[in-house]
PDB file of all heavy atoms in Angstrom:
ATOM      1  N   GLY A   1      -4.520 -12.055  17.219  1.00 98.00           N
ATOM      2  CA  GLY A   1      -3.213 -12.696  17.354  1.00 98.00           C
ATOM      3  C   GLY A   1      -2.744 -13.412  16.107  1.00 98.00           C
ATOM      4  O   GLY A   1      -1.584 -13.827  16.024  1.00 98.00           O
ATOM      5  N   GLY A   2      -3.617 -13.542  15.127  1.00 98.00           N
ATOM      6  CA  GLY A   2      -3.287 -14.244  13.906  1.00 98.00           C
ATOM      7  C   GLY A   2      -2.539 -13.381  12.905  1.00 98.00           C
ATOM      8  O   GLY A   2      -2.198 -12.218  13.186  1.00 98.00           O
ATOM      9  N   SER A   3      -2.299 -13.967  11.733  1.00 98.00           N
ATOM     10  CA  SER A   3      -1.525 -13.299  10.688  1.00 98.00           C
ATOM     11  C   SER A   3      -2.217 -13.413   9.340  1.00 98.00           C
ATOM     12  O   SER A   3      -2.982 -14.347   9.093  1.00 98.00           O
ATOM     13  CB  SER A   3      -0.126 -13.928  10.579  1.00 98.00           C
ATOM     14  OG  SER A   3       0.608 -13.781  11.772  1.00 98.00           O
ATOM     15  N   LEU A   4      -1.923 -12.451   8.494  1.00 98.00           N
ATOM     16  CA  LEU A   4      -2.345 -12.460   7.097  1.00 98.00           C
ATOM     17  C   LEU A   4      -1.233 -11.858   6.264  1.00 98.00           C
ATOM     18  O   LEU A   4      -0.425 -11.062   6.773  1.00 98.00           O
ATOM     19  CB  LEU A   4      -3.623 -11.650   6.883  1.00 98.00           C
ATOM     20  CG  LEU A   4      -4.956 -12.235   7.297  1.00 98.00           C
ATOM     21  CD1 LEU A   4      -6.055 -11.184   7.137  1.00 98.00           C
ATOM     22  CD2 LEU A   4      -5.295 -13.473   6.493  1.00 98.00           C
ATOM     23  N   ARG A   5      -1.218 -12.194   4.978  1.00 98.00           N
ATOM     24  CA  ARG A   5      -0.291 -11.558   4.040  1.00 98.00           C
ATOM     25  C   ARG A   5      -1.093 -11.017   2.868  1.00 98.00           C
ATOM     26  O   ARG A   5      -1.735 -11.789   2.146  1.00 98.00           O
ATOM     27  CB  ARG A   5       0.756 -12.550   3.546  1.00 98.00           C
ATOM     28  CG  ARG A   5       1.884 -11.888   2.759  1.00 98.00           C
ATOM     29  CD  ARG A   5       2.756 -12.902   2.068  1.00 98.00           C
ATOM     30  NE  ARG A   5       4.027 -12.326   1.625  1.00 98.00           N
ATOM     31  CZ  ARG A   5       4.731 -12.810   0.607  1.00 98.00           C
ATOM     32  NH1 ARG A   5       4.299 -13.849  -0.062  1.00 98.00           N
ATOM     33  NH2 ARG A   5       5.876 -12.247   0.284  1.00 98.00           N
ATOM     34  N   LEU A   6      -1.060  -9.722   2.712  1.00 98.00           N
ATOM     35  CA  LEU A   6      -1.734  -9.073   1.609  1.00 98.00           C
ATOM     36  C   LEU A   6      -0.759  -8.903   0.444  1.00 98.00           C
ATOM     37  O   LEU A   6       0.422  -8.639   0.654  1.00 98.00           O
ATOM     38  CB  LEU A   6      -2.274  -7.711   2.027  1.00 98.00           C
ATOM     39  CG  LEU A   6      -3.171  -7.680   3.262  1.00 98.00           C
ATOM     40  CD1 LEU A   6      -3.689  -6.251   3.491  1.00 98.00           C
ATOM     41  CD2 LEU A   6      -4.311  -8.654   3.150  1.00 98.00           C
ATOM     42  N   SER A   7      -1.292  -9.025  -0.769  1.00 98.00           N
ATOM     43  CA  SER A   7      -0.506  -8.804  -1.978  1.00 98.00           C
ATOM     44  C   SER A   7      -1.209  -7.783  -2.854  1.00 98.00           C
ATOM     45  O   SER A   7      -2.441  -7.697  -2.861  1.00 98.00           O
ATOM     46  CB  SER A   7      -0.341 -10.106  -2.760  1.00 98.00           C
ATOM     47  OG  SER A   7       0.320 -11.086  -2.003  1.00 98.00           O
ATOM     48  N   CYS A   8      -0.420  -7.036  -3.597  1.00 98.00           N
ATOM     49  CA  CYS A   8      -0.958  -6.081  -4.557  1.00 98.00           C
ATOM     50  C   CYS A   8      -0.169  -6.215  -5.845  1.00 98.00           C
ATOM     51  O   CYS A   8       1.033  -5.908  -5.876  1.00 98.00           O
ATOM     52  CB  CYS A   8      -0.867  -4.668  -4.007  1.00 98.00           C
ATOM     53  SG  CYS A   8      -1.268  -3.374  -5.206  1.00 98.00           S
ATOM     54  N   ALA A   9      -0.844  -6.683  -6.884  1.00 98.00           N
ATOM     55  CA  ALA A   9      -0.219  -6.839  -8.193  1.00 98.00           C
ATOM     56  C   ALA A   9      -0.493  -5.598  -9.032  1.00 98.00           C
ATOM     57  O   ALA A   9      -1.653  -5.199  -9.195  1.00 98.00           O
ATOM     58  CB  ALA A   9      -0.759  -8.081  -8.879  1.00 98.00           C
ATOM     59  N   ALA A  10       0.574  -5.009  -9.546  1.00 97.00           N
ATOM     60  CA  ALA A  10       0.461  -3.776 -10.320  1.00 97.00           C
ATOM     61  C   ALA A  10       0.679  -4.047 -11.798  1.00 97.00           C
ATOM     62  O   ALA A  10       1.435  -4.953 -12.179  1.00 97.00           O
ATOM     63  CB  ALA A  10       1.483  -2.755  -9.829  1.00 97.00           C
ATOM     64  N   SER A  11       0.026  -3.250 -12.630  1.00 95.00           N
ATOM     65  CA  SER A  11       0.222  -3.328 -14.069  1.00 95.00           C
ATOM     66  C   SER A  11       0.040  -1.943 -14.656  1.00 95.00           C
ATOM     67  O   SER A  11      -0.525  -1.042 -14.014  1.00 95.00           O
ATOM     68  CB  SER A  11      -0.745  -4.327 -14.704  1.00 95.00           C
ATOM     69  OG  SER A  11      -2.085  -3.945 -14.481  1.00 95.00           O
ATOM     70  N   GLY A  12       0.527  -1.776 -15.890  1.00 93.00           N
ATOM     71  CA  GLY A  12       0.364  -0.503 -16.576  1.00 93.00           C
ATOM     72  C   GLY A  12       1.253   0.606 -16.059  1.00 93.00           C
ATOM     73  O   GLY A  12       0.956   1.791 -16.266  1.00 93.00           O
ATOM     74  N   MET A  13       2.351   0.243 -15.402  1.00 91.00           N
ATOM     75  CA  MET A  13       3.235   1.243 -14.810  1.00 91.00           C
ATOM     76  C   MET A  13       4.651   0.703 -14.740  1.00 91.00           C
ATOM     77  O   MET A  13       4.861  -0.512 -14.736  1.00 91.00           O
ATOM     78  CB  MET A  13       2.753   1.584 -13.392  1.00 91.00           C
ATOM     79  CG  MET A  13       2.670   0.371 -12.479  1.00 91.00           C
ATOM     80  SD  MET A  13       1.804   0.660 -10.917  1.00 91.00           S
ATOM     81  CE  MET A  13       3.107   1.360  -9.933  1.00 91.00           C
ATOM     82  N   PHE A  14       5.624   1.637 -14.685  1.00 93.00           N
ATOM     83  CA  PHE A  14       7.010   1.236 -14.475  1.00 93.00           C
ATOM     84  C   PHE A  14       7.206   1.121 -12.976  1.00 93.00           C
ATOM     85  O   PHE A  14       7.594   2.078 -12.304  1.00 93.00           O
ATOM     86  CB  PHE A  14       7.954   2.256 -15.094  1.00 93.00           C
ATOM     87  CG  PHE A  14       9.353   1.736 -15.274  1.00 93.00           C
ATOM     88  CD1 PHE A  14       9.631   0.701 -16.150  1.00 93.00           C
ATOM     89  CD2 PHE A  14      10.413   2.285 -14.561  1.00 93.00           C
ATOM     90  CE1 PHE A  14      10.916   0.213 -16.306  1.00 93.00           C
ATOM     91  CE2 PHE A  14      11.706   1.812 -14.709  1.00 93.00           C
ATOM     92  CZ  PHE A  14      11.962   0.776 -15.581  1.00 93.00           C
ATOM     93  N   PHE A  15       6.907  -0.060 -12.470  1.00 95.00           N
ATOM     94  CA  PHE A  15       6.721  -0.311 -11.049  1.00 95.00           C
ATOM     95  C   PHE A  15       7.874   0.202 -10.197  1.00 95.00           C
ATOM     96  O   PHE A  15       7.647   0.819  -9.151  1.00 95.00           O
ATOM     97  CB  PHE A  15       6.534  -1.816 -10.832  1.00 95.00           C
ATOM     98  CG  PHE A  15       6.253  -2.219  -9.413  1.00 95.00           C
ATOM     99  CD1 PHE A  15       4.964  -2.140  -8.896  1.00 95.00           C
ATOM    100  CD2 PHE A  15       7.271  -2.684  -8.588  1.00 95.00           C
ATOM    101  CE1 PHE A  15       4.700  -2.518  -7.587  1.00 95.00           C
ATOM    102  CE2 PHE A  15       7.024  -3.062  -7.286  1.00 95.00           C
ATOM    103  CZ  PHE A  15       5.721  -2.982  -6.780  1.00 95.00           C
ATOM    104  N   SER A  16       9.092  -0.027 -10.616  1.00 95.00           N
ATOM    105  CA  SER A  16      10.240   0.278  -9.758  1.00 95.00           C
ATOM    106  C   SER A  16      10.420   1.777  -9.523  1.00 95.00           C
ATOM    107  O   SER A  16      11.145   2.170  -8.616  1.00 95.00           O
ATOM    108  CB  SER A  16      11.512  -0.328 -10.336  1.00 95.00           C
ATOM    109  OG  SER A  16      11.765   0.191 -11.616  1.00 95.00           O
ATOM    110  N   ASN A  17       9.747   2.600 -10.313  1.00 95.00           N
ATOM    111  CA  ASN A  17       9.842   4.052 -10.126  1.00 95.00           C
ATOM    112  C   ASN A  17       8.898   4.575  -9.053  1.00 95.00           C
ATOM    113  O   ASN A  17       9.047   5.714  -8.597  1.00 95.00           O
ATOM    114  CB  ASN A  17       9.541   4.780 -11.430  1.00 95.00           C
ATOM    115  CG  ASN A  17      10.710   4.741 -12.393  1.00 95.00           C
ATOM    116  OD1 ASN A  17      11.739   4.156 -12.102  1.00 95.00           O
ATOM    117  ND2 ASN A  17      10.550   5.372 -13.543  1.00 95.00           N
ATOM    118  N   PHE A  18       7.912   3.768  -8.683  1.00 96.00           N
ATOM    119  CA  PHE A  18       6.844   4.228  -7.807  1.00 96.00           C
ATOM    120  C   PHE A  18       7.130   3.959  -6.342  1.00 96.00           C
ATOM    121  O   PHE A  18       7.703   2.919  -5.986  1.00 96.00           O
ATOM    122  CB  PHE A  18       5.530   3.530  -8.167  1.00 96.00           C
ATOM    123  CG  PHE A  18       4.826   4.098  -9.355  1.00 96.00           C
ATOM    124  CD1 PHE A  18       5.325   3.921 -10.639  1.00 96.00           C
ATOM    125  CD2 PHE A  18       3.657   4.817  -9.200  1.00 96.00           C
ATOM    126  CE1 PHE A  18       4.678   4.451 -11.729  1.00 96.00           C
ATOM    127  CE2 PHE A  18       2.991   5.344 -10.283  1.00 96.00           C
ATOM    128  CZ  PHE A  18       3.492   5.157 -11.558  1.00 96.00           C
ATOM    129  N   ASP A  19       6.724   4.887  -5.492  1.00 97.00           N
ATOM    130  CA  ASP A  19       6.538   4.595  -4.081  1.00 97.00           C
ATOM    131  C   ASP A  19       5.249   3.784  -3.955  1.00 97.00           C
ATOM    132  O   ASP A  19       4.252   4.085  -4.623  1.00 97.00           O
ATOM    133  CB  ASP A  19       6.413   5.868  -3.252  1.00 97.00           C
ATOM    134  CG  ASP A  19       7.697   6.699  -3.255  1.00 97.00           C
ATOM    135  OD1 ASP A  19       8.768   6.148  -3.545  1.00 97.00           O
ATOM    136  OD2 ASP A  19       7.594   7.902  -2.965  1.00 97.00           O
ATOM    137  N   MET A  20       5.275   2.766  -3.089  1.00 98.00           N
ATOM    138  CA  MET A  20       4.111   1.897  -2.923  1.00 98.00           C
ATOM    139  C   MET A  20       3.720   1.856  -1.450  1.00 98.00           C
ATOM    140  O   MET A  20       4.562   2.026  -0.561  1.00 98.00           O
ATOM    141  CB  MET A  20       4.420   0.475  -3.391  1.00 98.00           C
ATOM    142  CG  MET A  20       4.849   0.358  -4.845  1.00 98.00           C
ATOM    143  SD  MET A  20       3.553   0.836  -6.008  1.00 98.00           S
ATOM    144  CE  MET A  20       2.303  -0.403  -5.662  1.00 98.00           C
ATOM    145  N   GLY A  21       2.443   1.603  -1.209  1.00 98.00           N
ATOM    146  CA  GLY A  21       2.020   1.565   0.184  1.00 98.00           C
ATOM    147  C   GLY A  21       0.686   0.883   0.369  1.00 98.00           C
ATOM    148  O   GLY A  21       0.072   0.402  -0.595  1.00 98.00           O
ATOM    149  N   TRP A  22       0.289   0.853   1.619  1.00 98.00           N
ATOM    150  CA  TRP A  22      -1.011   0.306   2.006  1.00 98.00           C
ATOM    151  C   TRP A  22      -1.702   1.297   2.940  1.00 98.00           C
ATOM    152  O   TRP A  22      -1.087   1.815   3.881  1.00 98.00           O
ATOM    153  CB  TRP A  22      -0.844  -1.032   2.737  1.00 98.00           C
ATOM    154  CG  TRP A  22      -0.371  -2.139   1.858  1.00 98.00           C
ATOM    155  CD1 TRP A  22       0.925  -2.479   1.594  1.00 98.00           C
ATOM    156  CD2 TRP A  22      -1.196  -3.038   1.115  1.00 98.00           C
ATOM    157  NE1 TRP A  22       0.961  -3.550   0.728  1.00 98.00           N
ATOM    158  CE2 TRP A  22      -0.330  -3.922   0.426  1.00 98.00           C
ATOM    159  CE3 TRP A  22      -2.568  -3.211   0.970  1.00 98.00           C
ATOM    160  CZ2 TRP A  22      -0.793  -4.937  -0.401  1.00 98.00           C
ATOM    161  CZ3 TRP A  22      -3.033  -4.214   0.149  1.00 98.00           C
ATOM    162  CH2 TRP A  22      -2.148  -5.070  -0.524  1.00 98.00           C
ATOM    163  N   SER A  23      -2.962   1.531   2.665  1.00 98.00           N
ATOM    164  CA  SER A  23      -3.783   2.315   3.569  1.00 98.00           C
ATOM    165  C   SER A  23      -4.946   1.446   4.017  1.00 98.00           C
ATOM    166  O   SER A  23      -5.166   0.358   3.485  1.00 98.00           O
ATOM    167  CB  SER A  23      -4.294   3.574   2.883  1.00 98.00           C
ATOM    168  OG  SER A  23      -5.184   3.229   1.835  1.00 98.00           O
ATOM    169  N   ARG A  24      -5.674   1.916   4.993  1.00 98.00           N
ATOM    170  CA  ARG A  24      -6.852   1.179   5.447  1.00 98.00           C
ATOM    171  C   ARG A  24      -7.935   2.145   5.878  1.00 98.00           C
ATOM    172  O   ARG A  24      -7.657   3.286   6.265  1.00 98.00           O
ATOM    173  CB  ARG A  24      -6.501   0.236   6.595  1.00 98.00           C
ATOM    174  CG  ARG A  24      -6.104   0.926   7.888  1.00 98.00           C
ATOM    175  CD  ARG A  24      -5.672  -0.103   8.933  1.00 98.00           C
ATOM    176  NE  ARG A  24      -5.286   0.530  10.188  1.00 98.00           N
ATOM    177  CZ  ARG A  24      -4.751  -0.122  11.210  1.00 98.00           C
ATOM    178  NH1 ARG A  24      -4.530  -1.435  11.130  1.00 98.00           N
ATOM    179  NH2 ARG A  24      -4.431   0.525  12.321  1.00 98.00           N
ATOM    180  N   GLN A  25      -9.165   1.666   5.791  1.00 97.00           N
ATOM    181  CA  GLN A  25     -10.303   2.465   6.231  1.00 97.00           C
ATOM    182  C   GLN A  25     -11.272   1.571   6.969  1.00 97.00           C
ATOM    183  O   GLN A  25     -11.809   0.602   6.397  1.00 97.00           O
ATOM    184  CB  GLN A  25     -10.993   3.145   5.049  1.00 97.00           C
ATOM    185  CG  GLN A  25     -12.067   4.121   5.474  1.00 97.00           C
ATOM    186  CD  GLN A  25     -12.493   5.038   4.343  1.00 97.00           C
ATOM    187  OE1 GLN A  25     -12.293   4.757   3.174  1.00 97.00           O
ATOM    188  NE2 GLN A  25     -13.079   6.166   4.702  1.00 97.00           N
ATOM    189  N   ALA A  26     -11.479   1.895   8.228  1.00 95.00           N
ATOM    190  CA  ALA A  26     -12.450   1.185   9.053  1.00 95.00           C
ATOM    191  C   ALA A  26     -13.793   1.906   8.966  1.00 95.00           C
ATOM    192  O   ALA A  26     -13.841   3.104   8.654  1.00 95.00           O
ATOM    193  CB  ALA A  26     -11.969   1.135  10.493  1.00 95.00           C
ATOM    194  N   PRO A  27     -14.886   1.197   9.240  1.00 90.00           N
ATOM    195  CA  PRO A  27     -16.208   1.838   9.181  1.00 90.00           C
ATOM    196  C   PRO A  27     -16.285   3.076  10.061  1.00 90.00           C
ATOM    197  O   PRO A  27     -15.899   3.045  11.232  1.00 90.00           O
ATOM    198  CB  PRO A  27     -17.143   0.744   9.687  1.00 90.00           C
ATOM    199  CG  PRO A  27     -16.445  -0.529   9.383  1.00 90.00           C
ATOM    200  CD  PRO A  27     -14.987  -0.232   9.566  1.00 90.00           C
ATOM    201  N   GLY A  28     -16.732   4.179   9.477  1.00 92.00           N
ATOM    202  CA  GLY A  28     -16.895   5.412  10.228  1.00 92.00           C
ATOM    203  C   GLY A  28     -15.621   6.166  10.511  1.00 92.00           C
ATOM    204  O   GLY A  28     -15.640   7.167  11.242  1.00 92.00           O
ATOM    205  N   LYS A  29     -14.506   5.712   9.944  1.00 95.00           N
ATOM    206  CA  LYS A  29     -13.218   6.372  10.186  1.00 95.00           C
ATOM    207  C   LYS A  29     -12.601   6.830   8.878  1.00 95.00           C
ATOM    208  O   LYS A  29     -12.953   6.346   7.800  1.00 95.00           O
ATOM    209  CB  LYS A  29     -12.260   5.424  10.917  1.00 95.00           C
ATOM    210  CG  LYS A  29     -12.705   5.064  12.319  1.00 95.00           C
ATOM    211  CD  LYS A  29     -11.626   4.315  13.054  1.00 95.00           C
ATOM    212  CE  LYS A  29     -12.039   4.022  14.494  1.00 95.00           C
ATOM    213  NZ  LYS A  29     -10.970   3.309  15.237  1.00 95.00           N
ATOM    214  N   GLN A  30     -11.665   7.768   8.993  1.00 96.00           N
ATOM    215  CA  GLN A  30     -10.945   8.234   7.817  1.00 96.00           C
ATOM    216  C   GLN A  30      -9.918   7.200   7.377  1.00 96.00           C
ATOM    217  O   GLN A  30      -9.402   6.423   8.176  1.00 96.00           O
ATOM    218  CB  GLN A  30     -10.240   9.562   8.133  1.00 96.00           C
ATOM    219  CG  GLN A  30     -11.185  10.754   8.268  1.00 96.00           C
ATOM    220  CD  GLN A  30     -10.425  12.060   8.352  1.00 96.00           C
ATOM    221  OE1 GLN A  30      -9.345  12.124   8.939  1.00 96.00           O
ATOM    222  NE2 GLN A  30     -10.975  13.103   7.754  1.00 96.00           N
ATOM    223  N   ARG A  31      -9.623   7.240   6.077  1.00 95.00           N
ATOM    224  CA  ARG A  31      -8.587   6.364   5.559  1.00 95.00           C
ATOM    225  C   ARG A  31      -7.235   6.829   6.088  1.00 95.00           C
ATOM    226  O   ARG A  31      -6.955   8.027   6.138  1.00 95.00           O
ATOM    227  CB  ARG A  31      -8.578   6.366   4.032  1.00 95.00           C
ATOM    228  CG  ARG A  31      -7.670   5.336   3.419  1.00 95.00           C
ATOM    229  CD  ARG A  31      -7.706   5.365   1.894  1.00 95.00           C
ATOM    230  NE  ARG A  31      -9.012   5.006   1.359  1.00 95.00           N
ATOM    231  CZ  ARG A  31      -9.217   4.721   0.071  1.00 95.00           C
ATOM    232  NH1 ARG A  31      -8.199   4.748  -0.775  1.00 95.00           N
ATOM    233  NH2 ARG A  31     -10.432   4.422  -0.351  1.00 95.00           N
ATOM    234  N   GLU A  32      -6.400   5.860   6.498  1.00 96.00           N
ATOM    235  CA  GLU A  32      -5.054   6.186   6.987  1.00 96.00           C
ATOM    236  C   GLU A  32      -4.028   5.350   6.242  1.00 96.00           C
ATOM    237  O   GLU A  32      -4.262   4.175   5.940  1.00 96.00           O
ATOM    238  CB  GLU A  32      -4.937   5.934   8.494  1.00 96.00           C
ATOM    239  CG  GLU A  32      -5.138   4.496   8.936  1.00 96.00           C
ATOM    240  CD  GLU A  32      -4.776   4.226  10.381  1.00 96.00           C
ATOM    241  OE1 GLU A  32      -4.058   5.047  10.993  1.00 96.00           O
ATOM    242  OE2 GLU A  32      -5.204   3.177  10.907  1.00 96.00           O
ATOM    243  N   LEU A  33      -2.901   5.980   5.966  1.00 95.00           N
ATOM    244  CA  LEU A  33      -1.792   5.273   5.339  1.00 95.00           C
ATOM    245  C   LEU A  33      -1.033   4.542   6.432  1.00 95.00           C
ATOM    246  O   LEU A  33      -0.523   5.172   7.353  1.00 95.00           O
ATOM    247  CB  LEU A  33      -0.874   6.248   4.609  1.00 95.00           C
ATOM    248  CG  LEU A  33       0.249   5.642   3.763  1.00 95.00           C
ATOM    249  CD1 LEU A  33      -0.310   4.823   2.610  1.00 95.00           C
ATOM    250  CD2 LEU A  33       1.157   6.740   3.232  1.00 95.00           C
ATOM    251  N   VAL A  34      -0.962   3.225   6.359  1.00 97.00           N
ATOM    252  CA  VAL A  34      -0.352   2.450   7.438  1.00 97.00           C
ATOM    253  C   VAL A  34       1.087   2.045   7.137  1.00 97.00           C
ATOM    254  O   VAL A  34       1.872   1.862   8.066  1.00 97.00           O
ATOM    255  CB  VAL A  34      -1.180   1.201   7.800  1.00 97.00           C
ATOM    256  CG1 VAL A  34      -2.544   1.596   8.316  1.00 97.00           C
ATOM    257  CG2 VAL A  34      -1.315   0.261   6.618  1.00 97.00           C
ATOM    258  N   ALA A  35       1.444   1.899   5.869  1.00 98.00           N
ATOM    259  CA  ALA A  35       2.799   1.476   5.545  1.00 98.00           C
ATOM    260  C   ALA A  35       3.173   2.001   4.174  1.00 98.00           C
ATOM    261  O   ALA A  35       2.335   2.020   3.267  1.00 98.00           O
ATOM    262  CB  ALA A  35       2.918  -0.041   5.578  1.00 98.00           C
ATOM    263  N   LEU A  36       4.429   2.389   4.040  1.00 98.00           N
ATOM    264  CA  LEU A  36       4.930   2.935   2.782  1.00 98.00           C
ATOM    265  C   LEU A  36       6.320   2.363   2.519  1.00 98.00           C
ATOM    266  O   LEU A  36       7.128   2.242   3.450  1.00 98.00           O
ATOM    267  CB  LEU A  36       5.008   4.452   2.851  1.00 98.00           C
ATOM    268  CG  LEU A  36       5.471   5.180   1.592  1.00 98.00           C
ATOM    269  CD1 LEU A  36       4.385   5.125   0.532  1.00 98.00           C
ATOM    270  CD2 LEU A  36       5.821   6.633   1.903  1.00 98.00           C
ATOM    271  N   ILE A  37       6.585   2.019   1.263  1.00 98.00           N
ATOM    272  CA  ILE A  37       7.932   1.629   0.852  1.00 98.00           C
ATOM    273  C   ILE A  37       8.269   2.454  -0.380  1.00 98.00           C
ATOM    274  O   ILE A  37       7.534   2.456  -1.371  1.00 98.00           O
ATOM    275  CB  ILE A  37       8.054   0.107   0.609  1.00 98.00           C
ATOM    276  CG1 ILE A  37       9.495  -0.267   0.270  1.00 98.00           C
ATOM    277  CG2 ILE A  37       7.069  -0.389  -0.441  1.00 98.00           C
ATOM    278  CD1 ILE A  37       9.766  -1.777   0.359  1.00 98.00           C
ATOM    279  N   THR A  38       9.369   3.190  -0.314  1.00 97.00           N
ATOM    280  CA  THR A  38       9.730   4.069  -1.412  1.00 97.00           C
ATOM    281  C   THR A  38      10.320   3.274  -2.571  1.00 97.00           C
ATOM    282  O   THR A  38      10.637   2.086  -2.434  1.00 97.00           O
ATOM    283  CB  THR A  38      10.734   5.128  -0.960  1.00 97.00           C
ATOM    284  OG1 THR A  38      11.984   4.479  -0.680  1.00 97.00           O
ATOM    285  CG2 THR A  38      10.241   5.863   0.276  1.00 97.00           C
ATOM    286  N   HIS A  39      10.514   3.951  -3.699  1.00 97.00           N
ATOM    287  CA  HIS A  39      11.126   3.285  -4.842  1.00 97.00           C
ATOM    288  C   HIS A  39      12.546   2.839  -4.507  1.00 97.00           C
ATOM    289  O   HIS A  39      13.051   1.883  -5.090  1.00 97.00           O
ATOM    290  CB  HIS A  39      11.117   4.205  -6.060  1.00 97.00           C
ATOM    291  CG  HIS A  39      11.876   5.472  -5.872  1.00 97.00           C
ATOM    292  ND1 HIS A  39      11.342   6.561  -5.213  1.00 97.00           N
ATOM    293  CD2 HIS A  39      13.131   5.812  -6.232  1.00 97.00           C
ATOM    294  CE1 HIS A  39      12.239   7.531  -5.186  1.00 97.00           C
ATOM    295  NE2 HIS A  39      13.329   7.109  -5.786  1.00 97.00           N
ATOM    296  N   GLY A  40      13.155   3.488  -3.522  1.00 96.00           N
ATOM    297  CA  GLY A  40      14.498   3.119  -3.086  1.00 96.00           C
ATOM    298  C   GLY A  40      14.538   2.047  -2.015  1.00 96.00           C
ATOM    299  O   GLY A  40      15.614   1.585  -1.631  1.00 96.00           O
TER     300      GLY A  40
END
């Protein structure tokens, strides 16, 4: 029921051109893409 805020700081790239996202991997499971935000 609680909350967290994850941050990802990027460097070495023209950030605004990239699609960005978050994936997750639980023990014994495949990695899944959970959220995506496009460059637009």
